[in-house]
Amino acid sequence: MECEKITPGTGAYRRLCIAMLLAGISTFALLYCTQPLMPFFSETYGVAAEEASLAVSLTTGPLAFVLLIAGKVSDRVGRRPLMIGSMMTAAALTSILGLLPSWESLLAVRFLCGLALAGVPAVAMAYISEEVDDLAVGGAMGLYIAGSAIGGMSGRLLVSVLTEFFGWRDALGTTGIAALVIGLAFWQILPHSRQFTPRHHSWPGYFGGFRRLFADKALPWLFLEAFLIMGAFISIYNYAGYRLLAPPYALSQAQVGLIFLLYMLGSLSSAVAGHCSGKFGPRKCLWIPLVLFLLGMALIGASPLPLVIAGIGIVTIAFFGAHAIASGWVGRRARSDRAQAAAGYLFFYYLGSSVLGSAGGYAWSWEGWNGVTVFVSLLVLIALAVSFRLYRVAPLAAPGGDTRPIPAE
């Protein structure tokens, strides 16, 4: 007898939501815990901003490529075991970062951390799409992304505050230990898969799924959207510290870390955007946060500190809203090959973080914060054009024999 999918209002749904919040918190705290430390790396090791960004890019870059393989591995071993193993391994690696003697060794372990972390984002979207009723996928996905916003905020804030008082080495070690505790909690409460069945397909068959995805009229554009919006967003937070630590602001590291509290706005906007996407359809909603992103960029380019902070807050709201809509659309559009669809979206998402995030460093070296602002604004304008292209894509028809209402596209 086939098991029913998890529906809202059940105990399993509540446990799944809590577990996915924890997964987002741990994954993104570990992934970006070195981001607020980039100015310290520049000072400690004598490296330029674009080289300091490797402490982030050398984690997101390998993660992007391993995502393509992690989806296939999860088809064999299961979504749940892979997510648990990934979270625990990455946490253990992060806990030893403060003990490493050189810049090169730190980058090497960050590279390994990216390899380990790939199992969570590669599988989370597929897990939710498989286990949760179709009409609730958007909401569950929004909660996972809300967890990523909280993780991005708490990891960066924790590191910033601890660095102020104890130094960056102790800050990184503490972050790794906290993530180990979260990983154990995730292990205990995440519901076991009820819809998953192992698939032992060949490598040619697996990558054939990617060919089918790229034949779709919407999915390749959604992949491009992920590349652009993540590259734009990460560039703002990568180089904001350089600007705010320097005159005329001359903030302390703990004060700069407080800007990551703005991620709480991202948690709210992702949940709201996921709900609106489910109600009105993603193609009608995606352009809205991108216009909001451009408004935030106009404020970020100003000089008064309150306007700069307000602009970063608006950009954060906009990014998480756009990401929730686009990622949920991928899960709904890819009725088969969902693991490959999730991997494809996130491959371009983290590739944008790695490639465009480091490219933003050259914009900083070229023209300072004005260079970063121009660079990011161009990326968002292209993303807005892509959203209008997606608006014209016709929604998929209902599967044969399925008489239930399907989520609007």
Side-chain angles (χ1 to χ4, degrees):
M1 181 178 177
E2 184 178 354
C3 295
E4 293 183 357
K5 289 194 171 188
I6 297 174
T7 56
T10 63
Y13 185 77
R14 286 189 290 272
R15 288 192 294 114
L16 181 145
C17 289
I18 294 171
M20 299 316 296
L21 279 169
L22 291 176
I25 289 170
S26 178
T27 301
F28 283 80
L30 295 174
L31 191 59
Y32 292 111
C33 62
T34 55
Q35 188 181 49
L37 303 178
M38 285 171 48
F40 287 88
F41 297 150
S42 291
E43 181 180 353
T44 302
Y45 298 108
V47 296
E50 56 269 24
E51 187 174 351
S53 72
L54 292 177
V56 179
S57 297
L58 278 181
T59 305
T60 56
L63 181 145
F65 284 92
V66 177
L67 283 170
L68 302 177
I69 302 172
K72 185 178 188 301
V73 173
S74 76
D75 280 344
R76 296 196 175 192
V77 305
R79 319 298 188 202
R80 187 176 184 273
L82 187 60
M83 286 191 286
I84 292 169
S86 295
M87 289 175 63
M88 299 299 289
T89 302
L93 288 169
T94 301
S95 67
I96 67 169
L97 280 176
L99 305 176
L100 302 175
S102 67
W103 175 237
E104 291 75 17
S105 60
L106 186 146
L107 292 181
V109 172
R110 286 291 291 166
F111 179 89
L112 294 176
C113 190
L115 298 180
L117 276 174
V120 180
V123 174
M125 290 173 65
Y127 175 86
I128 292 171
S129 297
E130 284 177 349
E131 301 298 323
V132 177
D133 184 81
D134 287 346
L135 295 176
V137 164
M141 199 76 73
L143 285 170
Y144 166 65
I145 295 171
S148 73
I150 295 171
M153 175 197 71
S154 59
R156 293 164 165 104
L157 180 58
L158 177 66
V159 164
S160 295
V161 173
L162 290 177
T163 296
E164 180 79 12
F165 296 102
F166 303 105
W168 64 264
R169 294 183 182 274
D170 288 341
L172 289 176
T174 302
T175 300
I177 293 170
L180 282 170
V181 175
I182 292 174
L184 290 171
F186 176 83
W187 191 347
Q188 292 299 312
I189 67 175
L190 181 69
H192 288 272
S193 297
R194 298 191 290 182
Q195 306 298 322
F196 173 77
T197 54
R199 298 173 62 186
H200 298 281
H201 43 160
S202 64
W203 283 106
Y206 180 75
F207 285 105
F210 287 105
R211 288 194 294 272
R212 289 189 291 274
L213 295 176
F214 277 93
D216 185 85
K217 293 182 178 180
L219 289 172
W221 292 104
L222 287 168
F223 297 159
L224 175 60
E225 197 78 294
F227 179 80
L228 293 167
I229 61 174
M230 184 53 171
F233 180 68
I234 201 67
S235 293
I236 293 297
Y237 275 92
N238 269 359
Y239 306 104
Y242 285 94
R243 186 188 189 196
L244 297 176
L245 288 169
Y249 310 115
L251 301 181
S252 69
Q253 180 62 29
Q255 288 172 324
V256 171
L258 291 176
I259 69 170
F260 296 110
L261 288 172
L262 296 172
Y263 268 57
M264 295 177 67
L265 301 176
S267 299
L268 177 62
S269 70
S270 63
V272 171
H275 173 75
C276 292
S277 176
K279 184 175 182 180
F280 301 108
R283 70 191 185 97
K284 296 180 180 179
C285 299
L286 183 56
W287 65 273
I288 298 173
L290 296 174
V291 171
L292 190 63
F293 203 128
L294 289 173
L295 174 61
M297 292 307 302
L299 295 178
I300 282 175
S303 295
L305 184 60
L307 291 182
V308 174
I309 301 302
I312 295 175
I314 291 172
V315 161
T316 303
I317 292 170
F319 165 74
F320 279 101
H323 177 37
I325 294 168
S327 61
W329 195 351
V330 168
R332 291 150 63 173
R333 184 91 184 179
R335 291 174 180 164
S336 60
D337 306 308
R338 277 177 167 165
Q340 291 98 320
Y345 177 86
L346 292 170
F347 169 79
F348 285 98
Y349 179 86
Y350 289 110
L351 194 66
S353 174
S354 181
V355 174
L356 297 178
S358 288
Y362 290 99
W364 170 266
S365 297
W366 164 59
E367 195 61 33
W369 189 245
N370 288 336
V372 174
T373 301
V374 171
F375 174 70
V376 170
S377 297
L378 288 174
L379 294 178
V380 179
L381 284 170
I382 298 170
L384 182 61
V386 171
S387 75
F388 292 142
R389 173 66 180 80
L390 282 162
Y391 184 86
R392 296 195 296 271
V393 174
L396 292 176
D402 189 352
T403 59
R404 296 184 309 160
I406 62 171
E409 284 192 54

